Structure formats: structure tokens, C-alpha cells
């Protein structure tokens, strides 16, 4: 039988590959995205669509906690904000945690401890 995902913990994940290409983060130019994907969004629209988690969010999506650093130069905070907005539109329980001075996971011990505490609290509420 198919696995039913009970919750998602999203650490600054890319969510919309077309936007990653069109509105690149400082350290990820469009040429890098197209090299990973094997072409541009106009050349490979279906691959970009299928590689973008944001396109699969609907009312049946599991509760999701999103953690994002404001100084992430690999995955722009707009990627996480788009996930939060789409989850809200779909009526899915979610929490968006934003660390203004956090990068792409290179967080200090206090920030990591705070993140894991928030994840534990979120999962305790949303995963019976």
C-alpha cells in the first residue's frame, strides 16, 4: 500500500525550479540550474514542472514546517515563502520559521537548537 506522509520538515528546500532559474539566488546562476536540469524551462517545461514540489501542494498535503535563513544565497527565501503561501491557500497546517541571519544551513548552535525545538513541537501537535 502507498506510504502516507504524516508531516514534512522543509529545511530551505528548492520548491519552484522555474523561479530558481528566472529569479536566481546570488550563488546559483541560471546556467547552473539549466546544467543540473539538462536544459532551460522553455526547453524542458515538463521536467521543471515535475521537479517542483510547489506544483504538488493541495488540500491533501501533509502538515509542513518550513525553516529558512534570510541570508541563504543558494535557495532564496522566496522559495520557502511560496510554499507557505500555497499551503495557506490549500488550507494545510503549516509553520514558517525565518532566521534573518541564517544562511543555507550554516546556522549557529543556538539557532539549530531553536529549530529542532520548533520542529519537535510542530510534530507533537500534527503527528499523532
Amino acid at each position: 500500500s502507498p506510504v502516507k506522509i504524516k508531516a514534512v520538515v522543509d529545511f530551505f528546500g528548492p520548491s519552484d525550479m522555474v523561479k530558481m532559474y528566472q529569479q536566481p539566488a546570488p550563488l546559483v546562476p541560471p546556467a547552473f540550474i539549466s546544467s543540473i536540469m539538462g536544459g532551460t524551462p522553455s526547453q524542458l517545461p515538463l521536467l521543471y514542472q515535475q521537479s517542483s514540489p510547489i506544483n504538488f501542494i493541495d488540500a491533501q498535503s501533509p502538515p509542513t514546517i518550513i525553516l529558512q535563513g534570510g541570508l541563504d544565497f543558494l535557495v532564496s527565501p522566496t522559495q520557502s515563502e511560496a510554499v507557505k503561501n500555497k499551503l495557506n491557500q490549500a488550507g494545510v497546517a503549516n509553520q514558517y520559521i525565518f532566521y534573518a541571519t541564517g544562511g543555507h544551513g550554516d546556522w549557529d548552535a543556538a539557532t539549530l537548537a531553536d529549530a529542532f525545538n520548533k520542529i519537535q513541537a510542530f510534530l507533537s501537535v500534527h503527528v499523532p
Side-chain angles (χ1 to χ4, degrees):
S1 67
V3 173
K4 171 97 171 81
I5 297 170
K6 294 181 180 179
V8 171
V9 178
D10 172 12
F11 274 96
F12 39 80
S15 63
D16 184 332
M17 295 308 296
V18 173
K19 290 256 174 42
M20 288 278 293
Y21 181 87
Q22 294 174 342
Q23 300 164 6
L27 297 181
V28 186
F32 182 74
I33 301 296
S34 62
S35 71
I36 290 172
M37 299 294 286
T40 67
S42 58
Q43 293 167 324
L44 298 167
L46 187 60
L47 180 63
Y48 274 77
Q49 189 271 331
Q50 292 176 338
S51 301
S52 299
I54 197 151
N55 296 323
F56 300 94
I57 295 172
D58 62 24
Q60 282 69 53
S61 294
T64 301
I65 183 168
I66 307 155
L67 301 105
Q68 176 70 50
L71 302 179
D72 188 332
F73 297 125
L74 295 175
V75 177
S76 169
T78 59
Q79 293 279 311
S80 291
E81 292 160 9
V83 170
K84 173 192 71 168
N85 293 338
K86 186 111 184 239
L87 290 165
N88 285 340
Q89 290 164 5
V92 175
N94 70 90
Q95 185 176 359
Y96 178 63
I97 312 293
F98 182 77
Y99 297 107
T101 60
H104 190 74
D106 52 345
W107 299 349
D108 62 29
T111 303
L112 284 171
D114 183 75
F116 283 104
N117 288 336
K118 285 183 165 71
I119 292 165
Q120 187 174 32
F122 183 86
L123 293 177
S124 71
V125 169
H126 294 287
V127 180

